[in-house]
Amino acid sequence: MKCKIIKIGGALIEDDELLNRLCRKLSSIASPFVIVHGGGTFAGRLAERLGIPASMIDGRRVTDRETLEVTVMVYAGWVNKTLVSRLQALGVNACGLSGCDLNLVRADKRVRESVDWGYVGDIRQVHLGALELLLQSGVVPVISPITHNGEGVLLNSNADGIAAAVAETLSACYDTELVYCFDKKGVLADTRDEGSVIARLTPALYDEYKRKGMIHSGMIPKLDNAFKSVRNGVGTVRLLHPDELDNPEAGTEITLEEQWMQMLR
């Protein structure tokens, strides 16, 4: 049986019209699916309103205790329940979850000798049994990027990484497709040209585009997770715009060189 794991990027959550169109697309999916979402800039804006200063290292936010509290409120609260309510309005039996619910996603607090990232969690394990139970009951899990360490500590994890880990875990019993939905038509060879979508991206091409500076910044961790998922048994990984969610040829497909050569033969 097929199962889609759909990651929704922060920019989509912040664009009300895009989000509505995406939810309508999601409501038409017949096979089981899982949604993993980020939080956009909502947490940063709330922290600013509360007078909580942002601490950044190399452009990435450090999750100290106060920031963690805001992140949990926004990601596992406002954003998650907004998504669930819109899906329910369209007849999708969605259930909003964080990593600590049903012991769904355990993580380890990130430890680096040179940098203290605070309450940032690196994913350790996804609970397959809990996901199977929900999917077999006709429930659509909507997972926020809040995880836990099994010892009562909440952590803020990367949503792209959670989506990849969920897809890899479900590949043990489903034909999985991991879809990263974001505000572009796919991975672009030229970020100024929306028509420059790379139809298929192999590791060799990926390294070349990174070396030339054509792929950079936040796209790199997303693609690193995508390639890891393909290597770890996920059937298909695709990056696309939400308007093309029902088009199997849209966006950028992540493939390994040997798979691509077999297709050419």
Side-chain angles (χ1 to χ4, degrees):
M1 181 180 290
K2 290 185 177 295
C3 181
K4 287 180 181 283
I5 297 84
I6 302 165
K7 160 59 175 37
I8 302 175
L12 304 183
I13 294 167
E14 294 168 12
D15 187 318
D16 212 46
E17 178 53 32
L18 262 181
L19 183 59
N20 284 335
R21 295 207 305 266
L22 172 59
C23 287
R24 287 194 291 271
K25 293 276 188 184
L26 293 169
S27 69
S28 67
I29 296 176
S31 60
F33 66 100
V34 177
I35 298 170
V36 178
H37 66 83
T41 61
F42 287 111
R45 294 205 301 265
L46 179 57
E48 186 177 350
R49 284 164 54 189
L50 295 172
I52 299 171
S55 177
M56 309 291 287
I57 298 175
D58 296 330
R60 296 185 180 184
R61 183 181 296 273
V62 175
T63 305
D64 58 19
R65 179 68 190 202
E66 286 186 312
T67 302
L68 177 67
E69 292 174 359
V70 170
T71 301
V72 172
M73 285 189 284
V74 173
Y75 294 178
W78 175 258
V79 173
N80 188 268
K81 300 314 171 191
T82 296
L83 270 170
V84 169
S85 65
R86 294 197 186 188
L87 289 167
Q88 289 284 359
L90 293 166
V92 178
N93 190 21
C95 178
L97 300 159
S98 68
C100 62
D101 297 306
L102 300 176
N103 193 29
L104 195 61
V105 185
R106 283 204 186 191
D108 297 312
K109 189 176 180 182
R110 182 175 298 172
V111 177
R112 298 285 189 276
E113 291 182 2
S114 57
V115 176
D116 182 5
W117 291 100
Y119 292 89
V120 170
D122 292 322
I123 299 152
R124 183 199 319 165
Q125 184 179 24
V126 175
H127 188 183
L128 176 60
L131 283 172
E132 276 194 291
L133 180 65
L134 292 167
L135 293 171
Q136 290 171 4
S137 301
V139 173
V140 174
V142 180
I143 305 171
S144 73
I146 301 301
T147 57
H148 75 129
N149 70 348
E151 299 176 1
V153 177
L154 293 173
L155 297 166
N156 179 19
S157 292
N158 178 271
D160 290 339
I162 291 176
V166 167
E168 291 166 25
T169 299
L170 285 173
S171 67
C173 50
Y174 290 92
D175 178 9
T176 51
E177 179 181 3
L178 174 58
V179 181
Y180 288 104
C181 277
F182 66 133
D183 59 345
K184 301 294 181 185
K185 293 182 178 180
V187 182
L188 304 179
D190 181 352
T191 55
R192 298 163 297 182
D193 180 6
E194 284 287 341
S196 65
V197 175
I198 303 165
R200 289 180 175 86
L201 190 63
T202 64
L205 276 176
Y206 179 40
D207 289 342
E208 180 184 343
Y209 288 141
K210 281 193 295 183
R211 190 167 57 251
K212 292 179 177 177
M214 297 161 68
I215 293 177
H216 53 83
S217 305
M219 187 58 68
I220 290 176
K222 190 184 298 291
L223 288 171
D224 285 346
N225 280 307
F227 278 108
K228 182 174 74 70
S229 294
V230 174
R231 293 188 179 99
N232 289 342
V234 175
T236 306
V237 181
R238 192 173 291 277
L239 294 88
L240 47 73
H241 192 278
D243 288 344
E244 300 287 345
L245 186 59
D246 53 359
N247 181 356
E249 301 300 320
T252 299
E253 183 179 355
I254 303 301
T255 65
L256 305 180
E257 272 90 351
E258 57 268 26
Q259 292 175 322
W260 179 229
M261 291 305 294
Q262 287 172 8
M263 290 172 66
L264 287 176
R265 295 192 192 104

